[in-house]
């Protein structure tokens, strides 16, 4: 019998387990992961950015958790000797028409309590000599890290706390057994008093296994990247972002210097035909049918049809992708970039066609379900873990396993 079972061994599931172990040091805690290692999907295929929180609606979970998470992630990396760098980033307007959006973003950064600075095109050149812009914003607190390394350290801490992580264990059914729940998997059955769902791309399905309706469906979007060739890495010193289109839910293609020194360019954002569809050819009939039969998807597609078509063109045309990159760095040529890994974003979408634009944490009976945790979830993972633990109602049996009890 376990006190807590966490479904999902990505960065949110592991951070939640770590927070549980701190709050309930005598509890029996189990993490179930269907893959053979931690951080296999969203966490292991993201851009590695420690986000500042500048983009997000003031007062939202994303704004609060990323601002606080930016600090706690850097502190965690410092404490555990994890390679990271607080390199800062520039967000640039490439035309006068973008200046009002840049100004609005600057004001949002101030509202979110972030250290932001307006800079001229000449000052942008001092930071990123090869960037073309009319003005920019400097965000000093943004950093880079390898989140797989972070997750490996989380896992070590969990095991040191006495928690367990079982790999190759996929939850197939959840059965209520009185006050407890039994999770039936391909690797045996496990009974627990409390379930925490951090299943990422499958969080909506796991929630429904536990008789919880998140009122949203996960729609997978693939983000495809190119990588600068080694001889062209000098074109990018740190992180270079365009001003995002506020009417479109993604940030636009940008340049990211990774912690290993490579420079990635992207991503675009296209519908994936499989929840774990990292290749254009990946296809799953159930995943595809769910999206195609979901009214919310068609409402979203109709609203963003122009941008959606541009994203699809960039997916199939290297020339179009490079042209987007040239808006930021005109020197980039097609021969300067090579295809690299893709990631898949688990984005919750409501029936009315609105994207869930904040982290979504849903409570069930003896369960908590994290049903929307795309970027900046990695940055915010320590804070999300704390928040999930705070949602757990105090129960009699927990008094004997809690700290200071």
């Amino acid at each position: 019998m376990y006190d807590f079972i966490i479904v999902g061994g990505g960065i949110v599931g592991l951070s939640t387990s770590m927070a549980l172990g701190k709050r309930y040091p005598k509890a029996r805690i189990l993490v179930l992961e269907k893959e053979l290692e931690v951080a296999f999907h969203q966490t292991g295929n993201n851009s590695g950015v420690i986000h500042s929180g500048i983009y997000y609606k003031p007062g939202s979970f994303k704004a609060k958790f990323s601002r606080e998470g930016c600090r706690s992630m850097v502190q965690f990396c410092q404490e555990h000797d994890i390679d990271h760098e607080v390199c800062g980033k520039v967000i640039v307007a490439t035309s006068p028409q973008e200046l009002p959006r840049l100004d609005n973003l600057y004001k949002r950064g101030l509202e979110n309590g972030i250290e932001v600075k307006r800079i001229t095109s000449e000052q942008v050149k001092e930071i990123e000599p090869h960037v073309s812009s009319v003005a920019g914003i400097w965000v000093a607190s943004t950093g880079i890290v390898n989140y797989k390394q972070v997750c490996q350290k989380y896992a070590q801490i969990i095991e040191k706390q006495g928690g367990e992580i079982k790999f190759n264990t996929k939850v197939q059914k959840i059965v209520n057994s009185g006050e407890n729940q039994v999770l039936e998997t391909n690797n045996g059955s496990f009974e627990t008093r409390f379930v925490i769902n951090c299943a990422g791309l499958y969080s909506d399905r796991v929630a429904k296994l536990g008789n919880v309706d998140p009122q949203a469906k996960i729609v997978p979007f693939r983000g495809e990247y190119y990588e600068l060739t080694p001889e062209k890495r000098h074109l990018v010193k740190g992180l270079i972002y365009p001003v995002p289109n506020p009417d479109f839910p993604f940030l636009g293609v940008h340049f990211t210097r990774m912690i290993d020194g490579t420079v990635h360019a992207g991503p675009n954002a296209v519908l994936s035909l499989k929840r774990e569809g990292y290749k254009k050819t990946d296809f799953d009939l159930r995943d595809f049918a769910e999206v195609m039969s979901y009214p919310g998807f068609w409402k979203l597609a109709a609203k963003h049809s122009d941008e959606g078509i541009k994203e699809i063109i960039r997916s199939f045309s290297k020339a179009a992708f490079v042209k987007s990159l040239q808006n930021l760095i005109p020197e980039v040529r097609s021969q300067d970039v090579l295809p690299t890994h893709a990631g898949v974003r688990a984005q919750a979408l409501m029936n009315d066609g609105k994207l869930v634009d904040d982290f979504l944490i849903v409570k069930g009976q003896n369960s908590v379900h994290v049903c929307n945790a795309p970027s900046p979830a990695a940055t915010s993972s320590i804070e999300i873990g704390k928040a999930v633990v705070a949602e757990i109602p105090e129960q009699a049996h927990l008094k004997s396993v809690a700290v200071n009890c």
Side-chain angles (χ1 to χ4, degrees):
M1 166 70 73
Y2 291 91
D3 295 293
F4 301 100
I5 290 182
I6 297 95
V7 182
I11 199 165
V12 173
L14 295 174
S15 64
T16 299
S17 179
M18 192 170 63
L20 279 170
K22 185 175 181 180
R23 175 69 182 91
Y24 302 105
K26 298 178 183 178
R28 290 199 67 200
I29 300 170
L30 173 64
V31 178
L32 299 180
E33 168 54 49
K34 70 183 181 67
E35 305 295 349
L36 298 177
E37 59 182 277
V38 298
F40 193 84
H41 289 291
Q42 287 189 103
T43 307
N45 292 287
N46 67 21
S47 62
V49 175
I50 303 173
H51 288 282
S52 65
I54 187 173
Y55 299 107
Y56 312 115
K57 183 179 178 181
S60 66
F61 286 137
K62 282 188 175 182
K64 179 175 184 289
F65 291 168
S66 58
R67 183 184 67 243
E68 296 172 357
C70 184
R71 291 191 289 264
S72 59
M73 181 57 66
V74 169
Q75 183 180 357
F76 183 87
C77 292
Q78 290 171 339
E79 290 176 355
H80 297 283
D81 296 321
I82 296 171
D83 289 341
H84 70 287
E85 182 182 347
V86 182
C87 56
K89 80 172 177 182
V90 290
I91 304 170
V92 299
T94 58
S95 69
Q97 290 76 19
E98 292 179 340
L99 289 174
R101 296 197 335 232
L102 187 74
D103 188 56
N104 289 338
L105 189 61
Y106 171 77
K107 292 174 181 176
R108 173 161 285 192
L110 294 178
E111 286 182 77
N112 285 336
I114 298 162
E115 183 182 345
V116 291
K117 180 182 178 182
R118 283 193 183 97
I119 53 177
T120 64
S121 58
E122 291 79 12
Q123 289 172 313
V124 171
K125 287 282 189 184
E126 292 174 7
I127 300 168
E128 294 287 353
H130 301 277
V131 168
S132 174
S133 70
V134 295
I137 297 172
W138 172 245
V139 188
S141 59
T142 305
I144 51 176
V145 70
N146 183 326
Y147 282 116
K148 273 197 170 182
Q149 291 182 4
V150 172
C151 284
Q152 288 161 1
K153 180 54 67 173
Y154 283 2
Q156 291 174 14
I157 292 171
I158 290 166
E159 290 173 348
K160 189 174 181 180
Q161 290 172 334
E164 300 175 54
I165 304 174
K166 288 189 180 294
F167 296 104
N168 192 30
T169 306
K170 180 180 179 179
V171 175
Q172 298 170 326
K173 191 175 182 180
I174 300 177
V175 179
N176 285 323
S177 175
E179 294 183 354
N180 303 325
Q181 299 177 74
V182 177
L183 280 66
E184 298 180 2
T185 79
N186 62 310
N187 199 16
S189 297
F190 306 89
E191 188 171 4
T192 183
R193 292 187 172 95
F194 203 94
V195 173
I196 300 176
N197 166 19
C198 301
L201 285 158
Y202 297 94
S203 57
D204 57 339
R205 291 183 185 173
V206 172
K208 289 182 178 179
L209 289 179
N211 294 316
V212 172
D213 184 358
Q215 301 294 311
K217 183 179 291 295
I218 293 296
V219 175
F221 288 92
R222 185 174 61 255
E224 298 160 333
Y225 288 87
Y226 283 85
E227 180 180 345
L228 287 183
T229 58
E231 58 270 21
K232 292 296 181 178
R233 291 173 185 169
H234 70 277
L235 295 176
V236 177
K237 304 298 181 185
L239 307 176
I240 306 165
Y241 282 65
V243 182
N245 180 348
D247 296 325
F248 194 60
F250 303 102
L251 296 179
V253 294
H254 49 270
F255 290 93
T256 306
R257 179 166 61 84
M258 311 292 278
I259 198 66
D260 63 2
T262 59
V263 177
H264 286 190
N268 62 344
V270 293
L271 177 68
S272 176
L273 306 183
K274 181 181 178 182
R275 292 204 181 194
E276 295 170 359
Y278 298 101
K279 300 176 183 177
K280 292 182 178 71
T281 54
D282 286 340
F283 177 82
D284 181 271
L285 181 58
R286 179 185 177 187
D287 294 347
F288 176 72
E290 273 193 3
V291 173
M292 292 297 104
S293 62
Y294 188 52
F297 169 73
W298 293 107
K299 293 173 184 175
L300 176 74
K303 181 179 179 181
H304 297 293
S305 58
D306 290 346
E307 290 292 338
I309 290 170
K310 292 177 186 177
E311 296 290 338
I312 293 170
I313 291 171
R314 274 195 287 263
S315 177
F316 287 93
S317 169
K318 183 179 182 181
F321 202 111
V322 170
K323 187 176 180 181
S324 295
L325 299 176
Q326 289 171 336
N327 289 333
L328 297 172
I329 301 181
E331 295 173 58
V332 172
R333 297 291 180 265
S334 181
Q335 62 268 28
D336 299 334
V337 294
L338 301 171
T340 186
H341 75 88
V344 179
R345 173 188 178 117
Q347 176 63 57
L349 176 64
M350 293 183 288
N351 194 61
D352 62 3
K354 292 181 180 178
L355 294 170
V356 179
D357 62 359
D358 204 358
F359 300 136
L360 177 61
I361 301 174
V362 181
K363 295 172 71 173
Q365 184 176 359
N366 295 327
S367 64
V368 173
H369 303 263
V370 182
C371 291
N372 192 56
S375 179
T379 299
S380 309
S381 58
I382 292 173
E383 307 308 318
I384 295 174
K386 293 176 185 176
V388 171
V389 172
E391 290 292 325
I392 297 171
E394 288 299 328
Q395 300 177 32
H397 75 274
L398 292 177
K399 293 181 180 179
S400 62
V401 297
V403 69
N404 296 328
C405 290

